[in-house]
Amino acid sequence: IKWIPPTNHSFKLNIDGAFKGKYRKGGYGGVFRNGQGDWVLGYNNSAIAYTLVYMELLALKSGLQLALDKKLVDIEIETDATDVISLLNNDTCSIYTNLVIECRSLLRKLQNPPIRHNFREGNKVAHFLANNGYKQPVSSTPHLMEQPPYSILQVLEKDKTGGTYSRTLSTDVISKLVQF
């Protein structure tokens, strides 16, 4: 498993959410990188939350809004949250309907960029940002980072050079991804 550079697009947006149910608080984060894997812009934040899916959707919404605001419009998106991709692709009614509608609207404004799944190991930078976002005070606007945090530089370099990570998958996970 590895981070995959954007294929036919200028930028890749990786997103992730983190949730600490005991505290009803979560974090989210994302990173824009160019085709060479270089950091373009990162963000994270915390929010009062009740589910991980909610935090994943906030990560997506914030990233899409930043893409529009910063004119990073030629993007593709990657997440380790298959539930988010399913919610965006289906017309099911859920507790996330308003947030899903907002994300769909932003996606349309960005010419419907592709959203793909990658495992957490291929999404390590966004995972790091989401977990650090949890530590931020709750705010209505995400914390922007024009430079990567020092503690993530090794992962960024491994991603840039095509480094891989191993993972053992259960048959349940494989079945879900095949259906996906």
Side-chain angles (χ1 to χ4, degrees):
I1 300 168
K2 65 180 184 174
W3 180 80
I4 302 162
T7 51
N8 298 320
H9 303 278
S10 298
F11 304 102
K12 176 169 271 186
L13 168 61
N14 286 82
I15 62 163
D16 200 18
F19 175 62
K20 313 290 186 199
K22 178 180 177 182
Y23 304 106
R24 289 198 162 83
K25 184 179 177 188
Y28 64 86
V31 59
F32 291 89
R33 291 193 265 181
N34 64 22
Q36 291 74 46
D38 298 319
W39 180 282
V40 175
L41 181 67
Y43 64 94
N44 66 6
N45 201 1
S46 67
I48 296 169
Y50 296 97
T51 69
L52 177 58
V53 172
Y54 179 77
M55 297 311 299
E56 300 275 0
L57 285 166
L58 279 180
L60 177 62
K61 178 187 167 195
S62 292
L64 296 173
Q65 189 61 60
L66 278 172
L68 284 170
D69 293 348
K70 303 291 184 180
K71 302 195 182 352
L72 302 170
V73 294
D74 187 21
I75 63 169
E76 60 186 66
I77 304 158
E78 213 166 59
T79 178
D80 59 11
T82 56
D83 289 340
V84 167
I85 298 171
S86 293
L87 283 167
L88 292 169
N89 291 331
N90 297 308
D91 287 331
T92 58
C93 184
S94 76
I95 60 171
Y96 311 109
T97 299
N98 290 341
L99 197 47
V100 169
I101 289 169
E102 288 180 72
C103 288
R104 286 178 183 159
S105 174
L106 291 166
L107 286 164
R108 279 191 298 278
K109 290 177 183 177
L110 291 164
Q111 284 83 50
N112 292 310
I115 303 177
R116 297 187 184 95
H117 173 266
N118 197 348
F119 292 101
R120 179 177 292 165
E121 293 84 354
N123 204 34
K124 279 184 174 260
V125 175
H127 182 73
F128 170 88
L129 293 171
N131 281 316
N132 279 338
Y134 171 79
K135 298 171 188 171
Q136 302 282 338
V138 173
S139 171
S140 60
T141 57
H143 170 70
L144 301 183
M145 292 164 267
E146 293 184 5
Q147 297 295 319
Y150 178 78
S151 52
I152 200 71
L153 291 177
Q154 280 186 310
V155 174
L156 277 169
E157 188 58 32
K158 185 171 182 176
D159 285 353
K160 283 174 68 168
T161 59
T164 61
Y165 303 91
S166 297
R167 172 181 259 222
T168 303
L169 298 176
S170 70
T171 54
D172 290 344
V173 170
I174 293 170
S175 295
K176 185 175 181 179
L177 290 173
V178 167
Q179 291 173 0
F180 201 59

